[in-house]
Amino acid sequence: MKKFLSVVILLTALIVGGCGGSIAFVNDDINTIHVSGNDAGNLVVKKETLMPILVPDGSIIQVDAKISAGRLVIKIDDEEYVINKSGETFIDVAAGDQEFFLAAENGFTGDVFLRAVPKN
């Protein structure tokens, strides 16, 4: 019975602790979001958030990703973008204060930067 109880306690600790994964959503400044994850999509508590960026007139969102596993889902203005590999992409959004919905999935591991940059 003690062995069974020990196994139950260990499993509960792993589930509550999220099995060691981590995620951070940070506004580096008003024009930049940095998402950093380590096996984040496998956490027990779903890791998603709304993050703001101030998009100046004549700007676009540059997404610079260095991902080794999983994916980051970005939603803005009823559009969904899935970032699942390293590289650069751009998202055209209206100028002004924009809120981006971000969700780490499938063991997201890596770094993604979203920045408002001039279109030209």
Side-chain angles (χ1 to χ4, degrees):
M1 185 67 176
K2 282 185 177 183
K3 260 188 181 177
F4 176 74
L5 185 57
S6 295
V7 170
V8 170
I9 290 171
L10 176 63
L11 288 175
T12 303
L14 288 174
I15 290 170
V16 171
C19 302
S22 64
I23 186 81
F25 301 94
V26 179
N27 274 107
D28 288 339
D29 57 47
I30 61 173
N31 302 103
T32 306
I33 297 170
H34 177 201
V35 181
S36 181
N38 180 18
D39 201 23
N42 291 330
L43 295 173
V44 174
V45 177
K46 191 164 176 85
K47 291 300 176 180
E48 57 190 30
T49 191
L50 283 172
M51 295 293 289
I53 291 183
L54 176 61
V55 181
D57 286 331
S59 293
I60 194 166
I61 299 299
Q62 173 193 37
V63 180
D64 184 19
K66 292 174 183 65
I67 297 175
S68 58
R71 66 189 200 163
L72 181 70
V73 176
I74 302 169
K75 294 180 186 175
I76 181 73
D77 294 334
D78 298 325
E79 295 287 329
E80 181 175 291
Y81 304 89
V82 177
I83 309 300
N84 59 4
K85 60 184 176 181
S86 295
E88 181 182 67
T89 190
F90 294 91
I91 301 173
D92 198 8
V93 297
D97 289 323
Q98 298 290 341
E99 283 202 333
F100 289 79
F101 172 83
L102 305 169
E105 298 180 347
N106 300 343
F108 172 74
T109 301
D111 289 286
V112 176
F113 290 88
L114 288 82
R115 296 180 185 94
V117 297
K119 283 185 182 181
N120 50 13

